[in-house]
Amino acid sequence: MMTHELKRRTVYSAGIASLMLSVSFWVAPVALAKYTPPENPSKPKETGTNTTRNGSCEEANSSGRLTALVPFSHVGETISGHPTFTWFVPYITPRPLQLRLFTRTGQLLYRTEIQSQPGIMSVALPSNLPQLSIGQSYQWQVVLVCDPDDPSSNVVAAAEIQVVGPAPSLQTQLAAAQTPQQRIDLYAESGLWYDAIAEARKASETSQSQEAVLELLDSLASSEAEPLKDWSDRLRQIRAIEQQRQGQR
């Protein structure tokens, strides 16, 4: 017959085995990668970059302001020769909106006009245009036409972008990535803001969820909080607006 002590030890051992078995079937949720700024990023120009300036399309129900969704403390990077540009529109009423791309010396390379829509918008540089050059920085603008008869009323958000060469290890990892989230994480961890947000936007169109975009905005806001609290606060405001909009769908 089994003694009391042996019974106790048997029950204890069985409990431990059961716990270990249950733990082996529990998988912790995968944490989304955080945006990590490049090791030696370029500084933006002192004026006219990563800012909103000039007129106003004021509306009673608008919130925030036209905003290029980019880092502000440094120039955001991309490995794409045809990158995607992303911004936030606070205004409900559709208006003509222009995307312009310039060399750093001010030469116009691309211009297109579309209708604005409230929320986050993106436009990719068309693939039939020459690729942007590795090692070069460019300036891009979104221009909201508030009054066609009064150009001074236009609202302009501007930012810079720098094209860099991809690390061989990153190319290998991207080729092996099996999900959009894995690609987003790789770009974000490599300091490639433009590629990460572009991949997140593409994923949101497929999944009808902006979760990946919102997480990236939150991550960017955290990385910008110490050098530029006002910019971090604006990014968090946009994230909150978009999260509320998504919840209302």
Side-chain angles (χ1 to χ4, degrees):
M1 294 182 63
M2 187 179 295
T3 66
H4 176 74
E5 178 63 19
L6 184 58
K7 286 182 179 180
R8 188 183 68 80
R9 290 182 180 180
T10 301
V11 171
Y12 177 77
S13 299
I16 293 296
S18 177
L19 178 60
M20 292 179 65
L21 183 63
S22 65
V23 169
S24 68
F25 284 101
W26 179 80
V27 179
V30 178
L32 298 180
K34 301 297 184 182
Y35 171 66
T36 303
E39 289 186 6
N40 298 298
S42 298
K43 292 293 183 182
K45 289 182 178 180
E46 293 183 2
T47 60
T49 59
N50 297 349
T51 60
T52 302
R53 63 182 187 271
N54 297 335
S56 174
C57 298
E58 293 183 358
E59 294 180 1
N61 56 355
S62 68
S63 180
R65 51 180 165 159
L66 186 68
T67 304
L69 298 180
V70 296
F72 194 168
S73 62
H74 60 276
V75 177
E77 295 184 353
T78 180
I79 59 172
S80 174
H82 297 93
T84 296
F85 306 95
T86 305
W87 62 90
F88 170 77
V89 178
Y91 309 106
I92 303 299
T93 303
R95 291 186 172 89
L97 186 148
Q98 299 171 2
L99 172 67
R100 304 169 180 171
L101 178 66
F102 302 87
T103 64
R104 200 157 190 180
T105 58
Q107 178 187 355
L108 181 64
L109 295 178
Y110 177 66
R111 172 177 170 172
T112 189
E113 185 170 304
I114 57 179
Q115 283 293 105
S116 73
Q117 60 186 43
I120 296 174
M121 299 183 66
S122 295
V123 167
L125 189 67
S127 58
N128 62 335
L129 293 181
Q131 293 192 62
L132 301 186
S133 300
I134 292 176
Q136 296 298 312
S137 294
Y138 301 84
Q139 186 184 67
W140 61 278
Q141 299 176 344
V142 279
V143 181
L144 200 63
V145 181
C146 300
D147 183 353
D149 297 324
D150 182 14
S152 66
S153 69
N154 291 351
V155 178
V156 182
E160 285 185 70
I161 182 172
Q162 184 168 28
V163 185
V164 298
S169 58
L170 175 62
Q171 290 180 305
T172 301
Q173 291 174 307
L174 288 171
Q178 298 181 351
T179 67
Q181 188 60 56
Q182 289 177 343
R183 289 190 289 273
I184 294 168
D185 293 349
L186 287 169
Y187 286 133
E189 291 169 343
S190 301
L192 299 168
W193 170 258
Y194 282 91
D195 303 299
I197 193 71
E199 193 70 40
R201 286 283 292 160
K202 190 188 305 181
S204 72
E205 294 173 0
T206 302
S207 65
Q208 300 298 308
S209 170
Q210 286 208 92
E211 189 60 32
V213 176
L214 298 182
E215 289 296 330
L216 268 179
L217 285 179
D218 189 57
S219 177
L220 178 59
S222 296
S223 72
E224 298 280 87
E226 185 174 340
L228 296 164
K229 186 177 184 303
D230 288 347
W231 184 247
S232 175
D233 290 344
R234 191 196 305 185
L235 291 171
R236 293 192 191 280
Q237 179 193 31
I238 291 171
R239 184 193 189 284
I241 293 170
E242 288 303 293
Q243 188 170 37
Q244 182 181 23
R245 179 181 286 117
Q246 182 170 299
Q248 293 173 346
R249 290 175 181 173

